[in-house]
Each structure stands twice: as C-alpha cells, then as structure tokens.
Amino acid sequence: MGLAEFPVVVSFLSIFISIGMILYSLKYRKAENSYFFIFLSLQLFLYLFGYLLELTSVNVSEAFYGVRMQYMGFPFILPNSYLFLRDIFGHQKISKAQTTLLFIFPLITVISMQTYPFQKFFYENVQYVSNTIIANAQITPGPLYHIHVVYQYCVTVCILGLVFEAFFGDNPLMKKQSVPLLIGFFLPIVTSVAYVVAENEAVRFDYTPLATIVSIVMLVYSANNHNLLQVMPFVKDQVIDTMADGFIVFDTKQHYIDANAAAKRIFPELYQVNHGEVIPRLEQLLTNKQIIVTVDGMDCIYEVSQIQEITSFKQGGYYIVLHDITEKAQLLEELHTQASMDYLTDIYNRRAFFEKAEVLSQRNYHQKGNIALLLDIDNFKQINDRYGHPCGDKVLQVLSYEIRQNMQDFQHAVFGRYGGEEFSFLFTSISIEQAETIADAFRQKISEIEFTWINQKVGVTVSIGISVSTKEMDTSLEDLLLQADIALYEAKKKGRNQVCLYKNTQ
C-alpha cells in the first residue's frame, strides 16, 4: 500500500471502529446514559461512511451524495457530546427551550443540505475534483455554512469549558475523568483548524473524521474505566462516596463491583479487592440483619439493610447499605436500663425482676426446682421517722450494694427491689440447705455493718423468708413469692433478724 491510498484505508478503518462503537453502545443499552452513546455512534458512522463515499466517488453526484450523508450525522455530534458531558459532570439539566435552541441549528443545516440545489443558502456551488486516488466535493460556502461553522465552534468552546472546569476543579474523580476527554475533544479542533488554514490544494484529505474517531474512543475509554454509563460519577463521588452509610455493590454471582469510602472504612479488606473478585465476609452480610465490627478501635453496630436489586445493570447487580446504629443501640440500651433498673438502688425494679425471674424459672437448669427469697429491712419506718428519709435511702443503697456483691457468684439467679424496703431473689441452682445458709450468712453480715448517719449509729437488721418449688409441685412464680412472703411474716413474728423457711402448714 502506497501513501496515496492511505486516506482510503484510514477511512475504512474508521468505519470499522464506528461499527464497534455502535455494538458497544447497544451492549449497554439499558445503562443510565447509554442513549448518548447510541446516538453518537450512529451519527459518527453516518459521518465517516459519507466521507468514504466522497473520497471514492467518480462524479459530482456521488461526491455530493457522500457529503449529504456526512451531514446527516456530523451536525449533531457536538451538541450530543455537550449534553453528555453536562450529565456526567453533574450540571443541572438544561430546559426544553435551551435544548431546542441547541439542536435548531443542526436541524437547519441538515434541511439546507438535503434541499440543495433547490436553494443555495448553505452551499452556493459544488464541484467535483479528483487526483485519481481520492476525490472531493469542492464547495463554495453560502451564508448558512458560515453560521454553521460559528455554531460548531461555539459548542466546542462550551465543551472545552466543561472539561477544563473539571480538570482544574477540586474534585479528584472529575479531574481524572477530564484528562482523556480533554485529549479527545481538543484533537478534532486542531485537525479542523489545520485543514482550514492549510494550503488550498484541489484535492485534500480531511483528518477531522479520524480525529473525531479518537474523540469517541477516548469517550469509550472513560465510560469503560470510570463507569460513566452505569452510574453518574459526580453523584457517586459527591453523594454515595460521602455517605456515612457503607454502600457495597456486587453482581448476581456475588462478585465485587464497587464500594464507597464508608464501606471500605468498615471493611478495610475491600481496598485489596478488585472488580469481579469475591467480597470478603459477604456471606455474613447476607445472613445477618446486624453486625458488630471494630472500626478505628471501637466496636460499632451496623444495621444491614435488605439487599436491593439494581435493574439498570444489564448483567444484573445488587447493593447492600450498612447503617451505623451504634448510638441508637446505646440509647435504646440506656432507655431499657432506665425502664428496668430501680433509680435509687441500681438493681432490677419489680417489673424487671418478674420478667427475668419468669424466664429463669422456665429454663429448669437442674432437678432442684426454684427457690425464692424475700428480704425485708426490720423497723424501716422507725429509721425513716427518727433519722429522716435521706437516711432511709442511704440504708437501701448500702443494702443493695451488699446484695450485688454477694450475688456475683450465682449465675442462675436474679434479684431486685420488690417494693419499699423489700428485696426479692430467685435461685435455680442451689439446694434448700444452701439457700438457708446463704440467707443466714447474709442476715448476719447486715447486722454487723456499722452504719452511721450524722455521727449517729444506726442499727440495721433484716428478716428473710424462703420458699421452695420442685418440678413435681409446679408452683408458679407468684405463688412462690407469696409463700416466701408468708415465711417472712413468720420471721417477723419470731422477733425479726431471722430466716424462716415456708412450710405447708403455714
């Protein structure tokens, strides 16, 4: 192949590239911004195929037929590219009136081209020239042609403005995207200007179609590497990547597609995962509604949202959102604690005691049944009357502290403030003899505490009632506590500061 045939070979190659672009755009036809690519690919094909017809024509009719085909696609390439760039860089969509104004000039160009020579506003004259290798339709421009050229350069300036704005902006993702786009859209300008200012030869090869191919290839490169067709990058970078919630995208085979910065902070191993690889701990996310993860040295609770399908992905895809509910969980825990704990003694209140004791009594850890204790402070009313209620409150607090200390060794037990100066206990893992020993030791310890209030010694003793339920007896918790209360009353009758076991005769 000699240099003379180079323009024709390049034109053929350009057409094959444009066909490849059409197939590429149709492959992703369900993607968000695919319609831009579909239109651009078809317009570019018409432009390049028409130029090849012009180069290989044998008379003026065939040459101008090629020019007509070129202008079926060429006038719309730049406005379509402008709208596409506005979309991927996150600019506000233009109004219908502005869109009409943007496309009215290309439409006028197409009409005026197709109606030549009935009117000569675009071209005043067309002549056929050839050097036996390539041919040109040599034209004499009319007034609409000059308007068309001004319009094309104005749109080009707008396009370059968008790309330069992204390149010199603060957004690193947009800066990265703008480099191939800057190369792609700047190249046709250079070749177009070079063609216009070149020496006026009779037959010339216009490299602008080839430069336009490079532009679209750059656009395809950006779309493929920066995911321009699947998700608007500006929105992803400014919204999804700045979300406090973790966001993980994967395909139908559970292979990694993308994740935002928050998800990578939660799971640092995502930094090492490439597109198409298996996501670590994905099974954990799919099977649990909540997970606990250590993030920045702190245990955090994340709520795993229901998996959502992404229907715009042709190959199918899903995403999971991880919402940090640590603060919410802590608040709920605090509210639950406030609702369950007695504010003065910091042990279970009556309602919480019954809830915990009911669960514990139903578990039946062993064959010894359940044992209930009721503890009451002796002569508590006299303490309040003589020393004041603050003193009585202090006695309750000291007593509850001693209870907590002595109950630490019992795993299968629960205790709480039964009401006033009474405290309730439920054991499921000790014998009757052990219960009596525990109760008496505790009674003895309380009586030996040297409690003072405003330099006055306050004597504090307790009475304790015990009741027992075996599996054969099947006594309810309420009845068990009632029996313990009867035994407590018996201890009071015997002179207080005593432990009594409930007997059926009582």
Side-chain angles (χ1 to χ4, degrees):
M1 180 191 72
L3 291 177
E5 292 84 4
F6 177 75
V8 177
V9 174
V10 169
S11 297
F12 269 110
L13 181 62
S14 300
I15 289 174
F16 282 115
I17 294 176
S18 67
I19 292 174
M21 281 188 54
I22 293 175
L23 297 176
Y24 177 87
S25 63
L26 292 176
K27 177 182 177 182
Y28 294 99
R29 62 187 179 278
K30 293 184 180 180
E32 183 181 358
N33 295 324
S34 63
Y35 56 92
F36 285 114
F37 259 24
I38 293 174
F39 287 140
L40 283 172
S41 302
L42 292 174
Q43 291 156 7
L44 185 63
F45 174 78
L46 291 173
Y47 177 36
L48 295 172
F49 190 70
Y51 189 60
L52 178 63
L53 292 179
E54 180 187 354
L55 291 178
T56 58
S57 60
V58 296
N59 54 51
V60 66
S61 177
E62 289 185 7
F64 193 64
Y65 180 80
V67 173
R68 280 197 172 102
M69 181 169 288
Q70 292 175 52
Y71 274 84
M72 288 294 290
F74 174 69
F76 300 100
I77 292 177
L78 286 177
N80 264 332
S81 300
Y82 173 70
L83 291 179
F84 180 54
L85 290 178
R86 284 186 63 90
D87 197 50
I88 66 173
F89 287 146
H91 288 268
Q92 185 178 3
K93 292 185 181 298
I94 63 176
S95 65
K96 291 183 179 179
Q98 291 172 321
T99 304
T100 302
L101 185 63
L102 184 66
F103 283 94
I104 192 68
F105 290 105
L107 189 60
I108 292 174
T109 297
V110 171
I111 294 174
S112 61
M113 275 294 303
Q114 301 306 317
T115 55
Y116 177 88
F118 299 105
Q119 52 76 30
K120 298 184 179 181
F121 293 115
F122 198 84
Y123 288 156
E124 291 183 354
N125 188 36
V126 177
Q127 293 180 338
Y128 176 77
V129 292
S130 174
N131 62 5
T132 69
I133 302 297
I134 62 172
N136 286 155
Q138 197 173 66
I139 56 97
T140 302
L144 284 181
Y145 177 85
H146 297 294
I147 295 175
H148 162 76
V149 171
V150 172
Y151 165 81
Q152 291 284 315
Y153 279 107
C154 287
V155 177
T156 302
V157 169
C158 292
I159 289 174
L160 291 177
L162 291 174
V163 179
F164 276 119
E165 180 184 358
F167 181 76
F168 291 107
D170 297 328
N171 189 311
L173 177 64
M174 293 173 65
K175 184 186 294 289
K176 184 178 179 181
Q177 293 167 352
S178 65
V179 174
L181 298 177
L182 186 62
I183 296 172
F185 284 104
F186 194 77
L187 193 59
I189 299 175
V190 175
T191 56
S192 176
V193 172
Y195 180 79
V196 172
V197 301
E199 294 183 4
N200 189 20
E201 300 176 0
V203 182
R204 290 181 296 165
F205 178 63
D206 186 0
Y207 285 91
T208 304
L210 181 60
T212 305
I213 276 288
V214 176
S215 299
I216 305 303
V217 168
M218 286 294 181
L219 202 57
V220 171
Y221 169 81
S222 295
N224 192 57
N225 287 272
H226 299 146
N227 207 20
L228 302 188
L229 293 182
Q230 302 292 4
V231 59
M232 191 164 60
F234 179 80
V235 172
K236 178 185 180 297
D237 187 58
Q238 296 296 318
V239 179
I240 297 179
D241 273 349
T242 57
M243 286 170 53
D245 293 344
F247 190 86
I248 303 175
V249 185
F250 55 95
D251 62 20
T252 53
K253 296 182 180 179
Q254 300 184 5
H255 293 156
Y256 177 75
I257 293 178
D258 203 357
N260 68 348
K264 293 177 180 178
R265 187 170 65 89
I266 299 169
F267 300 116
E269 55 265 38
L270 289 176
Y271 284 107
Q272 310 301 325
V273 181
N274 296 319
H275 187 281
E277 294 181 351
V278 177
I279 302 175
R281 293 199 272 184
L282 179 61
E283 195 63 34
Q284 179 186 4
L285 298 177
L286 297 178
T287 56
N288 294 278
K289 293 184 178 180
Q290 288 185 7
I291 59 171
I292 300 177
V293 183
T294 301
V295 180
D296 299 332
M298 296 179 59
D299 287 339
C300 298
I301 305 173
Y302 286 91
E303 181 181 56
V304 183
S305 71
Q306 185 179 1
I307 304 171
Q308 301 292 326
E309 184 177 3
I310 306 175
T311 56
S312 61
F313 279 13
K314 182 180 183 296
Q315 68 272 31
Y318 300 87
Y319 69 87
I320 292 177
V321 178
L322 303 171
H323 180 59
D324 189 349
I325 60 170
T326 307
E327 186 175 345
K328 177 183 176 181
Q330 291 173 345
L331 178 60
L332 289 175
E333 183 65 26
E334 291 175 6
L335 291 174
H336 182 266
T337 299
Q338 292 175 7
S340 302
M341 308 303 286
D342 179 68
Y343 75 96
L344 181 62
T345 59
D346 199 27
I347 61 177
Y348 286 131
N349 57 27
R350 182 186 179 98
R351 180 182 63 82
F353 168 78
F354 269 96
E355 290 177 356
K356 303 290 183 180
E358 190 67 49
V359 173
L360 186 63
S361 65
Q362 297 299 323
R363 288 179 180 172
N364 292 322
Y365 282 104
H366 52 80
Q367 303 298 323
K368 297 178 181 179
N370 299 321
I371 297 177
L373 274 68
L374 270 185
L375 180 151
D376 183 84
I377 301 175
D378 296 328
N379 300 314
F380 188 70
K381 185 178 184 301
Q382 284 82 345
I383 294 175
N384 279 332
D385 292 343
R386 182 174 179 179
Y387 302 103
H389 285 279
C391 178
D393 291 346
K394 191 66 177 179
V395 170
L396 291 171
Q397 290 173 339
V398 171
L399 184 61
S400 64
Y401 172 79
E402 294 296 335
I403 291 173
R404 289 197 301 271
Q405 294 299 110
N406 283 269
M407 293 295 290
Q408 288 180 357
D409 296 333
F410 299 97
Q411 295 182 353
H412 307 309
V414 63
F415 60 94
R417 187 178 179 188
Y418 197 65
E421 67 276 19
E422 284 188 311
F423 296 82
S424 52
F425 303 77
L426 181 72
F427 296 88
T428 62
S429 59
I430 60 174
S431 64
I432 299 173
E433 291 77 13
Q434 288 176 309
E436 290 182 301
T437 302
I438 292 167
D440 196 62
F442 189 68
R443 177 201 61 78
Q444 182 68 29
K445 185 173 184 179
I446 295 298
S447 65
E448 294 174 354
I449 293 176
E450 294 184 0
F451 186 85
T452 58
W453 179 258
I454 313 179
N455 299 322
Q456 299 182 67
K457 187 176 180 179
V458 180
V460 179
T461 62
V462 296
S463 298
I464 302 175
I466 304 175
S467 63
V468 179
S469 170
T470 64
K471 285 189 174 182
E472 292 76 14
M473 297 169 61
D474 195 24
T475 306
S476 68
L477 178 62
E478 290 79 4
D479 289 342
L480 194 62
L481 289 169
L482 178 60
Q483 293 170 5
D485 192 42
I486 294 172
L488 175 62
Y489 179 72
E490 185 69 20
K492 295 283 188 180
K493 282 177 59 177
K494 289 181 178 181
R496 297 182 176 85
N497 193 23
Q498 294 190 33
V499 176
C500 268
L501 177 65
Y502 174 79
K503 299 176 182 178
N504 289 338
T505 55
Q506 293 173 298

